[in-house]
Amino acid sequence: MIEQNIVFIGAGNMARALISGMRQLGVPGSQIQVHAPSTQRREALAEEFGLRSRPAKAEKLPQNSLVIYAAKPKQVDGILSEWRESFADAQVLFVSVAAGISSQQMRSILGENVAVFRAMPNTPAQVGAGATTLFAQATVKAAQCDIVQQIFSGVGKVFWLHDESLMDAATALAGSGPAYVLLFLEALEDAAVLEGLDRVTARALALQTVWGTAQMAAASPASPSELRHQVTSPGGTTAAGLAVWEEQLRPLAQRALAAAAARSRALGQSLKTKA
């Protein structure tokens, strides 16, 4: 049972995904509050999930709070500087989902006594199928890690990293990954339409194929490479299609993740002098 009061700073897509997952986990809306400058966004969340809508300004935090920073990385310094005093009088766990901003950068703003976690969840959290990468500084207690583990386990699978520098790679893969998969679905659908299928059928077939293949891979001890060879008959239709994919898919994947990871690292550069 999650007893913490959950305080979101930010009301964007990631906040909504996490809130949706928490509500499905059974966290009462009365335990969740959202602070954001957009009245429309936070009121929409309040209506949808029964939570408390609060203005963006800092205010006294409830005791036993877990604060999730879900605003933009470039706003970290300005927003958290305003909240610093609010952290002084409450027993607070702080979780940042801001790409590229290190845990030490967060502590330099909030104060050295704050327990800081970095998290990189992805949007499938809203249907309980998220992938969240977590990192905690060495000073964080095991019991505090258990609380954060419980919250994010409720919206999918959790993967802990012991080297914070790997968070950029995790962001590039899991954080941005849903967009890559959706683009792949779009491409499959469009290609099928060009081959004559109607769009409704093409979309349904593409979605079921990707979903079913992911389920099969998750349930099998075999590697994706081994499974791929099992379903590829020499000289068959699958082999013909794979020959085209192999021309560019691997280099594109490497370039895409490298670009996303580089952007994640760049997002933290503006705060480097304050770490």
Side-chain angles (χ1 to χ4, degrees), residues 180-205:
Y180 310 154
V181 175
L182 291 169
L183 178 60
F184 182 62
L185 279 169
E186 288 181 55
L188 288 177
E189 176 188 327
D190 289 344
V193 169
L194 288 175
E195 287 297 317
L197 286 177
D198 65 271
R199 187 159 295 278
V200 172
T201 301
R203 179 170 302 174
L205 278 173

Side-chain angles (χ1 to χ4, degrees), residues 11 36-48 53:
S38 172
T39 303
Q40 181 179 3
R41 276 182 175 270
R42 67 174 191 265
E43 289 296 332
L45 289 174
E47 182 178 352
E48 183 177 3
S53 168

Side-chain angles (χ1 to χ4, degrees), residues 144-271:
Q144 295 171 324
C145 290
D146 290 342
I147 293 169
V148 175
Q149 167 87 24
Q150 182 182 3
I151 287 176
F152 285 95
S153 292
V155 295
K157 293 188 176 182
V158 171
F159 305 86
W160 286 92
L161 295 179
H162 299 290
D163 182 350
E164 187 173 4
S165 67
L166 296 176
M167 284 294 294
D168 297 312
T171 298
L173 175 57
S176 301
Y180 310 154
V181 175
L182 291 169
L183 178 60
F184 182 62
L185 279 169
E186 288 181 55
L188 288 177
E189 176 188 327
D190 289 344
V193 169
L194 288 175
E195 287 297 317
L197 286 177
D198 65 271
R199 187 159 295 278
V200 172
T201 301
R203 179 170 302 174
L205 278 173
L207 180 60
Q208 182 62 27
T209 299
V210 171
W211 182 85
T213 304
Q215 293 290 308
M216 178 180 69
S220 174
S223 69
S225 177
E226 291 170 324
L227 291 174
R228 175 169 55 83
H229 282 96
Q230 290 174 17
V231 300
T232 306
S233 301
T237 59
T238 305
L242 280 175
V244 178
W245 283 115
E246 285 283 11
E247 291 176 5
Q248 296 189 21
L249 186 59
R250 293 181 192 275
L252 279 176
Q254 292 168 4
R255 286 168 53 196
L257 264 68
R263 180 56 182 158
S264 178
R265 288 187 287 269
L267 288 171
Q269 294 301 314
S270 63
L271 296 179

